[in-house]
Amino acid sequence: MKGSVDNRRYFKPMLILALCFACVTNASAQISPGDLTKGHAQLEGMTNCTQCHDLGNKVTNEKCLNCHKELKSRLNEGKGYHASSEVKGKDCFSCHSDHHGRTFQIVRFDTDRFDHRLTGYTLTGAHKEQDCKACHKNENITSSEIRKKEFTYLGLETKCISCHTDAHQNTLSTNDCSSCHNTDDFAPAALFDHDDAKFKLKGKHEEVDCASCHETGTRNNERFQEFTGIAFNSCVDCHEDVHTGRLGTNCASCHTEQSFNQFTGSNTFNHNTTDFPLKGKHKKVDCASCHKTEGREPASVFQDYRAKDFNACVTCHKDVHDGKFGTDCASCHTEDSFRSTSFQGEFDHALTGYPLIGKHIEVDCKKCHKSKMTDPLEHNRCLSCHEDFHRGQFVAESQTIDCRECHEELGFSETLYSIERHNESAFPLEGAHLATPCFACHLQEEEWVFNDLGDNCVDCHHNIHKEYLAEKYYPENDCSACHITEAWTAIDFDHSVTAFELAGRHEQISCGSCHREEEEDLITFADTPEDCISCHDNVHDVQFEENGVTDCRRCHGFDQWRPSLFDHNTARFVLEGAHKDVSCAECHKPRDISGKQVIEYKMQQIDCASCHL
């Protein structure tokens, strides 16, 4: 019996030694679950385990990104598929597990069902029909470091020319292909609008094929179509001049782009470029009345008066005086009218002591001289000839102020009454009133009014705050308590005089954000609620209600939405140890509360097993 006890005493240590020997000889097979993929093969071996694994912990994203720096850079910038809502927050190994053998594809997914929008680059048009490898290939990768990879989906740019050849060979002002082309087809350039070019297409030009003007040839041993450097300042840059230069090169002065056969020179041709500038009635005469065009060759059109004295009126007009007054018609007549206006053309009216200026120059003599031209006329006051348009509004001390105090002969619509003179009145112009035209205040129901207009804001401006703002904030309808004359939108109101003092972000928002009633589009200040949820959505539903009221200010301040005032240590679950480093979203997740998805903060279960398996 004693021998049996001694045998058992030595059997157990020997068994442990045997197991240790077996572990040493087969350590690799016992620890590693399988060979690493080809891309990670250099990390094989027991001494390399911590390159990816933390002892006692899972493979961390941080260690993956320490090697895959190009992905880390993209994530930091919030770009690419791995920064999308589909992937963000996941563990790398949830998609890219290893130890499945050398030939295992660690990057694998269903390319046919992959949503490319998650990468930040939506596939449209012909791009949707392309195989992934047609774009994701080494020659399209700009980074030399990423290009070293055997195969990767990283490193592509979104510019067209990063994959496509620039058919324009850098001759255009922009390399943004998408400003003219869409992804359905490169030709034609469906998004190009010729109105954005220096030469806008009109009339017949709209029907011309592009190739008629933009010729195709060869440049740098490649097919090339010219889109820049094409002369277009003159029609003769493209069209033959049938007038052989006799009428200049400004074809548009007579022709339109609708048709060369459509003559519009009567409205557009500048006759002042010839030796006979058109004046008076001559401006209204049809071109064909002087220039015969039917049956003539283009080169002889408008050449009727070559070698003729076209400055003499009798060359075209019959002398109704039969030469009795000579041939200098202009000594008595003007080109405005042949009607008898004795010496109107050259008579110096200043000799009468009343020189004609402004609008008076255009008045027919008989408008004033209704009897003999030599009969004296009263002319010292405007009202001697003109009716008092203002109907006695400017009568001072039984004496009517004459029109010349505010008007001059250039026209009644122009006034000499300056801002300086207005500022001497009972209502000086300030702020926005300086830029307000006279008619805005003085033209009422198609009648000019200058007396008894009132000088309070509400005399001219509609009081939009009536019944929507307590009178104590603008006593006696005095708008200046809040507004200034520079602009209505410039508000100078001290909100601290109300029961709701503005603080934090509230100081930066416009009044209308809180005080606009959207249904009637009114700015209302009366009875504006002061609780948070009257203006802001209660994203927590009823979780934090106390006596039927959610008081947001128990957790939130006015500076930001984050719960800056919330102290987790006052909650049922005090954060200690590793819990201090866990993000809120790890524990507080969306769930259905009262029929809608909200973040659950008041947890029913707070024991360890409710979160940790």
Side-chain angles (χ1 to χ4, degrees), residues 430-487:
E430 299 174 344
H433 288 152
L434 288 169
T436 304
C438 306
F439 64 80
C441 299
H442 294 288
L443 186 59
Q444 301 179 5
E445 298 181 356
E446 299 185 359
E447 184 174 348
W448 288 92
V449 179
F450 294 92
N451 291 338
D452 303 324
L453 290 178
D455 53 11
N456 292 322
C457 301
V458 293
D459 291 329
C460 291
H461 300 281
H462 175 62
N463 184 3
I464 63 173
H465 300 312
K466 189 176 182 180
E467 300 177 0
Y468 299 100
L469 179 63
E471 185 179 356
K472 66 179 180 179
Y473 295 118
Y474 69 129
E476 298 180 358
N477 292 328
D478 182 12
C479 306
S480 64
C482 298
H483 299 280
I484 59 176
T485 56
E486 298 296 332

Side-chain angles (χ1 to χ4, degrees), residues 14 35 85 97 117 197 238 280 337 399-400 416 491 561 577 585 608:
M14 292 300 292
D35 290 338
S85 59
S97 62
R117 291 176 299 176
C238 296
S337 174
Q399 180 65 41
T400 302
L416 301 177
I491 310 299
W561 283 115
C608 300

Side-chain angles (χ1 to χ4, degrees), residues 130-142:
Q130 294 294 319
D131 183 74
C132 301
K133 293 182 180 179
C135 298
H136 292 282
K137 50 189 178 181
N138 277 1
E139 54 262 38
N140 292 341
I141 297 176
T142 56

Side-chain angles (χ1 to χ4, degrees), residues 20-49:
C20 290
F21 177 76
C23 288
V24 172
T25 57
N26 296 289
S28 176
Q30 294 295 321
I31 296 176
S32 173
D35 290 338
L36 295 175
T37 188
K38 182 179 179 181
H40 289 161
Q42 75 278 10
L43 299 176
E44 286 281 12
M46 294 178 58
T47 59
N48 288 325
C49 295

